[in-house]
Amino acid sequence: MKRLTPYLLILPGGLWLAIFLVVPMVFMASVSLQEGDSLNGFVQTFNVGIYGDVLAQYRTQFLRSAGYGLIGTLIAVVLAYPMAYWIAFKGGERKSTYLLLVLLPFFVSFVLRTVSWKFLLADDGMVLAPLKSAGLLPDDFHVLQTTTAVVGGLVYNYLPFMILPIYVALERVDPKVIEAAQDLYAARRQAFTRIVLPLSLPGVFAGVLMTFVPMTADYVNASILGGPDNTMIGNIIQVEYLTNGDYPTAAALSFALMAAMLIGIFAYARALGTENVLEAAAR
């Protein structure tokens, strides 16, 4: 019975993943290899060539999505690390309060948060209108329907996913280790680069994964804050599924996006050095 205990413990989670992840993925893979239309039905033809077709047709949207995800993730790291560092080492007894403030936007719907930015950044909104009236901005200046608006929306919506893992990693750093480095005449910069930063890499690694993947697959920010020139691959998948009813194309796009992100994640893990990250996490 003791030998079966570990398997029994993972059984509920394993069944959940099998039913709601593996089965839908297998079904979607089958759909991606079909041909037909929503009126006459779809037939399984194992049309593997559809993957080459969608990659060629929507290459621009794939590259744009990857670019937005990469830029947004880099900005999130730059913004999140100082915030997480300050909360972990300077927050004191109010750490829980600061973390609650970080999570506070999640009490509001994702779509509503994005729509609120559309009102704030509108040409006649409460931010740009006063600046234009004061002559600080030209009358034709606009932010909506630009790359800046889309990337800004992505960073705003997913920033907590970067802050929390980094904070958890920094919280585990023993202040006595930093004090020991300073006792050995290490400058504050050296103590940070040689001790704090390496020990916080597991948090950065997790934060990048938790932000890059949803940013790249996002379609809400591009739909609300962007324009025709800011269409991401998620928008194409949405249109193919819900508007055009072209399920094979939508499924093939979804699988191609997932495969591209997995390749990027493995390359990132290899470049960062997963073994070093795991060793730092185990300390």
Side-chain angles (χ1 to χ4, degrees):
M1 187 64 181
K2 292 183 179 180
R3 294 181 178 179
L4 295 177
T5 300
Y7 300 100
L8 293 175
L9 290 175
I10 65 173
L11 182 61
L15 289 175
W16 181 274
L17 291 175
I19 295 173
F20 295 104
L21 179 63
V22 178
V23 173
M25 292 290 289
V26 172
F27 179 75
M28 189 167 66
S30 174
V31 172
S32 69
L33 300 176
Q34 296 178 3
E35 290 183 287
D37 54 61
S38 57
L39 294 178
N40 301 316
F42 298 93
V43 179
Q44 184 62 263
T45 60
F46 297 99
N47 180 27
V48 182
I50 190 173
Y51 285 93
D53 296 338
V54 297
L55 288 174
Q57 183 176 358
Y58 299 109
R59 180 180 60 180
T60 301
Q61 286 78 11
F62 271 110
L63 295 176
R64 183 181 294 128
S65 299
Y68 285 178
L70 181 60
I71 295 172
T73 301
L74 292 175
I75 295 174
V77 171
V78 173
L79 295 178
Y81 201 100
M83 295 175 65
Y85 184 93
W86 189 89
I87 295 174
F89 293 107
K90 305 295 182 180
E93 298 179 354
R94 298 183 178 180
K95 290 181 181 179
S96 300
T97 303
Y98 298 136
L99 290 175
L100 177 62
L101 293 176
V102 170
L103 295 173
L104 197 60
F106 283 88
F107 287 86
V108 181
S109 168
F110 181 91
V111 176
L112 289 179
R113 295 201 309 269
T114 308
V115 171
S116 67
W117 276 101
K118 182 176 182 179
F119 287 107
L120 287 173
L121 300 178
D123 294 346
D124 55 352
M126 62 178 63
V127 176
L128 297 183
L131 296 176
K132 291 181 179 181
S133 299
L136 299 176
L137 293 175
D139 293 335
D140 59 348
F141 180 84
H142 68 281
V143 178
L144 290 178
Q145 298 187 358
T146 64
T147 299
T148 302
V150 177
V151 174
L154 291 173
V155 173
Y156 166 74
N157 280 302
Y158 294 107
L159 184 61
F161 290 106
M162 182 69 74
I163 295 175
L164 294 179
I166 296 177
Y167 166 79
V168 171
L170 290 171
E171 180 68 13
R172 297 179 59 186
V173 178
D174 191 346
K176 294 180 181 179
V177 178
I178 303 176
E179 294 177 3
Q182 294 174 347
D183 291 339
L184 294 174
Y185 303 101
R188 296 180 62 181
R189 184 175 182 179
Q190 290 177 315
F192 173 78
T193 56
R194 297 188 180 184
I195 297 176
V196 178
L197 183 60
L199 292 177
S200 65
L201 281 181
V204 176
F205 180 81
V208 168
L209 294 184
M210 293 175 64
T211 53
F212 176 75
V213 172
M215 278 186 181
T216 304
D218 185 86
Y219 67 91
V220 175
N221 287 275
S223 298
I224 296 176
L225 302 178
D229 296 332
N230 307 116
T231 302
M232 299 174 65
I233 195 62
N235 302 105
I236 303 298
I237 295 173
Q238 179 200 25
V239 171
E240 295 294 344
Y241 261 125
L242 303 180
T243 304
N244 298 339
D246 191 350
Y247 303 137
T249 298
L253 286 170
S254 300
F255 260 95
L257 176 62
M258 183 179 64
M261 287 193 293
L262 286 175
I263 293 172
I265 289 170
F266 285 130
Y268 163 70
R270 187 175 182 84
L272 186 62
T274 308
E275 295 181 357
N276 296 332
V277 170
L278 294 177
E279 289 176 2
R283 293 174 183 174

